[in-house]
Amino acid sequence: MTSTAYSTRADTTTATVDSSPDESAPFAGDAGPFRRRRPVALVGAVAQRTAAIAALLAVWETFPRLNLVDPTFLPPLSQVIEAWWTLATTGQLAQHVEASLARSLSGFGLAILVAVPLGLLIGWYRPVATLLNPLLEVFRNTAALALLPVFVLILGLGETSKIAIILYGCAWPILLNTISGVRTVDPLLVKSARSLGLSPLRLFGKVVLPAAVPTIFTGIRLAGAYSILILIAAELVGAKAGLGYLITYAQFNFDVPDMYAGIITISAIGLVINQLLVLLEHRFSSWRTS
Amino acid sequence: MTAKISFQGVGKTFSSRGRQLSALEDITFEVRRGEFLALVGPSGCGKSTLLDLLAGLSAPTTGEILVDGAPVTGPGLDRGVVFQQYALLPWRTAQANVEFGLEAKGVARRERADRARHFLDLVGLSGFGDRYPHELSGGMKQRVAIARSLAFDPDVLLMDEPFAALDAQTRDSLQDELLRIWERTNKTILFITHGIDEAVYLGQRVAVMTSRPGRIKKIIDIPLGSRTETEDLRSDPTFARYRHEIWTLLRDEVVKAQAQEHAADHWGTAGERRPRWHGLARSRPPRRGRRPGPAPTSDHQEAGVD
C-alpha cells in the first residue's frame, strides 16, 4: 500500500515538472499564430492539446468503476473531486495550501536573494570562482534530499529546517545558471563597451548583467519547480500542516480520496507556478528570440 | 595637414605556451587630421591587433601611439570603434543602442534622446529607433553601430572590416554613405579591410601591411578626388591602376603568408592558433595514418616527430 501510493504520487509530480518546461516553451512561441487561426482550426488545436489529459481523466474515472484497478487504492476521479470539494469548502485545503506555499515561497525567495548575487560574484571574479569551484562541485553532486536528515538534525523539525532545505535545493539551479549567464556574455559586447571607456562596475551593470538575465531566469524557473518538489518531501517529516502532510496523513488514515485530492492540488500549484515563471521569463528575454 | 594619429615604432608580441609570437613589428606611420586612411593586409597580419592598440584595448610591447600628440593609455571617447559584428546590445532598441555611448560620456537624458535621433537620421534610419537589433537587417545594424560611434562625437573613427559581413549591394551603398558622413563630419577615419577595391574606393591613402609580423609595407596616395561626385568610379582606368598596384603589393604578402602557414603547419610553430590547424587539417588528407603505433595525443607531438 505504502509503496503504491508513494510511487503514484512521485510519478505524477516528476512527470508534471519534467514535461512542463519543454511543452510550455514552444507553446509560448506558438501563441501568436495560434490566435490568428480560424475558429474550426482553433477548436481542433485545443482538442489536440487536451486530448491526452482528457484520456487520462477518462481512464481514471472508468477503470476503477469497471474494477480494472482496485477502487480502494485508486478511487474514481469523481470521488476524488468530491473529497477535494469537501476539503476546499471546510477550509482545510486552504490551510494546507497556505502552509505549503509559505514554506515554498520563503525558501524560493531566499534562494533567489542568496544565489543570484553569489552567482554574479563567482561568474565575474575569477579568483572567487577558483576558490569556490571545488566546493560547488562537491555539493552540486549531492542530492538535496540526501541532506534533509542533516538539516533536521541541526535545525530541528520545525519550519527552519523545511525552509532551509527548500532554499538549499532551489539555490543550485539559480546559482549555476547565474554563473554560466555571466560567463557566456558575448565577449564582443564586453570589448565594445570597454572601448567606450566604461568602468568595470558600469560595464557589469550595463552589459554583463542585462546579458545574463535570460539565463538567470531559466535558473529561477527551474528553482520554482524544485521548490514544490522538495517541499513535499520536507513535509513528509514532522509537519503539522501542508499539502505533503495532508497526503501522508490521508494515506496513513486510509482516506485515499483525500490523498489524491492533495496530489492533484500540488500538481496544479506546480503547473501554475511554472506557467507564471515561464511568462515572466519570456518577458525578460524577448530580445533573445530569433 | 598635421598628424592626428601617430604610430612610433609600435610592436606587439604575444606569448603563448612559452613561445613568443610577434604580431606587429616596428609600425611607424601617421594619419592626418581629417584623413580617411584605409589599411589593407593579408589575413592574420595583425590589422585588428593594430586597431586594438589604437583603441586602447591593449598596450603595445614596444613603441607608442600618439593621438593629438598624447600617448594612448587606455580606451577613450575621443576614439570610436565600429566592429564587423556590430556589437549592438540585443536587449536595447536602436535608439537606446545609440544612446549607450552617450551614457558613457555622461550626456543628460533629454539630450541623449535628441542626439541619438539625429544620428539615426544621419545614417538613414529615421523611424527605426524603436526596433530591436534582431528586427534589423545586417546593413541596418551596421548603420546603428556607426550612428552609435558618431553620436558621442569622437575625433577618430576606427573601423574594423565593418562591411565584411554584408552583401555586395548593401556594402556599396554603405561605403557611399560612409564617405558622405565623413565629408560632412570631418572625422579622421582609420578603416581596416581586406578588400582592395574597398580600400581604393574609400581611402585617400591606402596603407599596405606585410604578412606576419605585420609591418607597413607601403602607403599609397589615391588622388581620385571626391568619390561621391564621380559616377561609377570603380570602372575608371585610374581606379584600376591603383587597384592593380595594391594587388601586386599584396600578392607577394599573401604568398608569403601562405608559405608561413605551410611551414608552421609542418614544424608546428603555428600551434598558437588552433582554428588554423583545424582548417588545414580539413583540407588535407589525414596525416595520422602514416605512422604506425598509437595515435599521437596532440598536433604538437605529431609535428615534433615529423
Side-chain angles (χ1 to χ4, degrees):
Chain A
M1 165 60 204
T2 311
S3 75
T4 338
Y6 187 83
S7 70
T8 316
R9 187 187 52 76
D11 287 349
T12 333
T13 358
T14 39
T16 318
V17 169
D18 284 351
S19 64
S20 45
D22 304 65
E23 269 168 25
S24 49
F27 184 77
D30 280 348
F34 200 90
R35 252 180 267 126
R36 279 194 292 274
R37 280 189 210 147
R38 279 171 297 122
V40 182
L42 187 73
V43 171
V46 169
Q48 218 172 11
R49 283 185 189 281
T50 49
I53 300 267
L56 174 73
L57 298 182
V59 166
W60 191 348
E61 181 62 32
T62 49
F63 277 34
R65 287 197 184 281
L66 298 172
N67 262 323
L68 289 169
V69 292
D70 191 339
T72 333
F73 299 141
L74 184 68
L77 180 62
S78 47
Q79 279 182 33
V80 174
I81 293 174
E82 225 170 274
W84 187 87
W85 186 248
T86 315
L87 282 173
T89 44
T90 54
Q92 285 183 67
L93 192 66
Q95 182 199 337
H96 291 303
V97 168
E98 198 189 318
S100 286
L101 279 183
R103 288 174 189 137
S104 179
L105 292 181
S106 341
F108 178 51
L110 287 172
I112 296 176
L113 290 181
V114 172
V116 171
L118 189 63
L120 294 176
L121 213 64
I122 296 174
W124 189 237
Y125 293 106
R126 192 74 27 202
V128 183
T130 326
L131 191 73
L132 292 182
N133 254 344
L135 203 63
L136 294 186
E137 279 304 314
V138 170
F139 278 102
R140 69 182 277 199
N141 288 307
T142 311
L145 288 179
L147 292 173
L148 182 57
V150 181
F151 278 75
V152 171
L153 268 182
I154 296 173
L155 300 170
L157 276 168
E159 292 302 295
T160 324
S161 70
K162 292 182 179 54
I163 292 173
I165 190 78
I166 294 167
L167 187 162
Y168 178 83
C170 289
W172 287 106
I174 302 175
L175 186 69
L176 297 175
N177 271 280
T178 306
I179 295 173
S180 105
V182 172
R183 291 248 174 94
T184 52
V185 173
D186 184 354
L188 181 65
L189 294 183
V190 176
K191 186 176 175 180
S192 153
R194 272 210 317 131
S195 80
L196 293 172
L198 250 63
S199 68
L201 202 66
R202 294 186 74 197
L203 179 89
F204 187 82
K206 284 193 183 287
V207 178
V208 177
L209 194 58
V213 162
T215 324
I216 296 176
F217 253 91
T218 307
I220 291 181
R221 180 166 56 75
L222 287 173
Y226 284 17
S227 75
I228 301 291
L229 277 182
I230 299 169
L231 166 82
I232 297 302
E235 284 179 345
L236 296 180
V237 196
K240 289 186 193 68
L243 289 166
Y245 164 78
L246 170 69
I247 292 164
T248 25
Y249 181 79
Q251 185 227 347
F252 196 72
N253 288 307
F254 222 71
D255 276 336
V256 180
D258 277 11
M259 181 188 81
Y260 283 109
I263 294 170
I264 289 179
T265 312
I266 202 71
S267 75
I269 290 177
L271 265 177
V272 168
I273 289 187
N274 188 63
Q275 272 306 311
L276 286 177
L277 290 173
V278 164
L279 282 177
L280 209 60
E281 185 186 14
H282 193 68
R283 211 186 111 66
F284 276 99
S285 55
S286 55
W287 55 267
R288 212 161 52 160
T289 51
S290 106
Chain B
M1 279 208 246
T2 49
K4 177 74 187 173
I5 304 164
S6 165
F7 284 79
Q8 298 181 345
V10 172
K12 178 75 180 175
T13 313
F14 294 102
S15 55
S16 127
R17 295 198 225 155
R19 240 190 301 269
Q20 297 284 310
L21 174 78
S22 184
L24 295 173
E25 231 170 69
D26 194 29
I27 301 275
T28 301
F29 73 102
E30 286 181 347
V31 186
R32 298 168 195 147
R33 191 174 302 280
E35 182 179 32
F36 198 129
L37 185 108
L39 189 74
V40 284
S43 68
C45 76
K47 299 188 290 276
S48 297
T49 308
L50 188 142
L51 189 127
D52 281 359
L53 295 177
L54 180 50
L57 293 169
S58 55
T61 317
T62 59
E64 63 176 352
I65 302 168
L66 307 176
V67 175
D68 286 327
V72 170
T73 53
L77 289 165
D78 55 335
R79 287 150 286 148
V81 189
V82 178
F83 298 96
Q84 183 187 330
Q85 293 303 331
Y86 327 123
L88 299 178
L89 304 174
W91 55 89
R92 284 179 172 229
T93 59
Q95 168 92 16
N97 261 291
V98 177
E99 287 180 20
F100 185 49
L102 298 169
E103 289 167 26
K105 201 177 182 177
V107 176
R109 184 184 294 268
R110 173 77 52 84
E111 201 192 333
R112 283 207 297 262
D114 287 345
R115 261 166 74 178
R117 249 191 305 279
H118 168 76
F119 281 96
L120 280 175
D121 288 351
L122 184 73
V123 297
L125 283 181
S126 319
F128 285 93
D130 57 350
R131 300 285 185 94
Y132 284 90
H134 70 86
E135 298 172 314
L136 299 171
S137 70
M140 291 161 107
K141 281 185 226 179
Q142 197 54 283
R143 284 165 195 262
V144 176
I146 292 171
R148 175 174 64 184
S149 288
L150 289 170
F152 58 83
D153 199 26
D155 290 342
V156 180
L157 218 50
L158 308 175
M159 309 186 85
D160 191 359
E161 308 202 13
F163 306 147
L166 305 175
D167 64 85
Q169 236 170 344
T170 312
R171 183 159 57 230
D172 281 0
S173 72
L174 271 177
Q175 285 170 355
D176 286 335
E177 293 232 25
L178 180 62
L179 285 170
R180 185 177 56 80
I181 289 167
W182 170 63
E183 281 169 2
R184 275 178 61 178
T185 56
N186 288 318
K187 303 283 177 207
T188 306
I189 299 183
L190 180 65
F191 189 101
I192 289 179
T193 174
H194 60 251
I196 302 173
D197 281 49
E198 189 169 62
V200 176
Y201 188 69
L202 293 175
Q204 288 179 301
R205 290 194 298 158
V206 175
V208 181
M209 282 181 77
T210 66
S211 55
R212 204 174 62 208
R215 295 189 194 82
I216 299 294
K217 186 169 188 173
K218 197 171 178 188
I219 298 183
I220 296 155
D221 273 301
I222 314 281
L224 282 173
S226 172
R227 271 65 163 177
T228 41
E229 278 165 26
T230 324
E231 208 151 282
D232 196 14
L233 182 78
R234 291 177 182 86
S235 40
D236 193 286
T238 336
F239 185 92
R241 194 159 49 76
Y242 288 121
R243 193 194 170 286
H244 181 72
E245 186 181 350
I246 292 165
W247 182 83
T248 317
L249 285 167
L250 264 177
R251 184 192 48 188
D252 301 344
E253 294 309 322
V254 171
V255 169
K256 252 187 257 174
Q258 277 167 356
Q260 251 178 20
E261 261 178 44
H262 185 82
D265 176 34
H266 206 257
W267 297 108
T269 48
E272 301 85 356
R273 296 195 52 154
R274 288 250 132 211
R276 181 174 301 173
W277 264 107
H278 296 308
L280 279 172
R282 246 180 281 119
S283 59
R284 291 157 155 255
R287 300 159 71 202
R288 296 246 147 98
R290 272 194 281 152
R291 213 180 300 106
T297 48
S298 80
D299 292 321
H300 260 280
Q301 279 188 1
E302 185 187 48
V305 179
D306 269 355

